[in-house]
Amino acid sequence: PSELGNLENLERLYLQKNKLTAIPSTFSRLKKLTDLNISTNLLAEFPAVALSSPGLALLNVSHNSQLLQLPDSLYQCRSLIILDVSGI
């Protein structure tokens, strides 16, 4: 839900196995997010808002079988330590 974007102090968000087809643009307000798990959903397009947190260290987008490519901007995310794209 887009209301999650109001939780501006949120650091960890685990949304795996929810049949999500998109990530709301309001997620761009989650500037303190360090861990984001959106694995095992139905994402067909990589959510650019997932990279809006400057401190993002863990990103799991694994097992989104409809997701066919990753954006070049992903490789500019300097804080990223763990990236799981298995099953794509």
Side-chain angles (χ1 to χ4, degrees):
S2 62
E3 293 80 15
L4 282 173
N6 296 331
L7 303 172
E8 295 177 7
N9 290 316
L10 194 65
E11 294 181 4
R12 293 178 183 89
L13 183 57
Y14 303 102
L15 294 172
Q16 66 272 24
K17 298 181 183 178
N18 280 291
K19 299 181 182 177
L20 298 175
T21 57
I23 300 297
S25 62
T26 56
F27 275 37
S28 63
R29 295 193 304 240
L30 302 176
K31 299 295 184 189
K32 295 185 180 181
L33 201 62
T34 59
D35 297 7
L36 178 60
N37 185 337
I38 48 176
S39 66
T40 318
N41 279 293
L42 303 172
L43 300 174
E45 189 173 312
F46 186 87
V49 295
L51 301 176
S52 59
S53 174
L56 189 67
L58 179 147
L59 177 60
N60 186 341
V61 293
S62 66
H63 303 288
N64 280 286
S65 59
Q66 297 178 23
L67 189 61
L68 301 176
Q69 63 182 7
L70 300 173
D72 290 338
S73 60
L74 178 65
Y75 305 106
Q76 303 300 320
C77 191
R78 298 176 191 259
S79 61
L80 203 57
I81 297 170
I82 298 172
L83 173 63
D84 189 345
V85 294
S86 60
I88 292 179

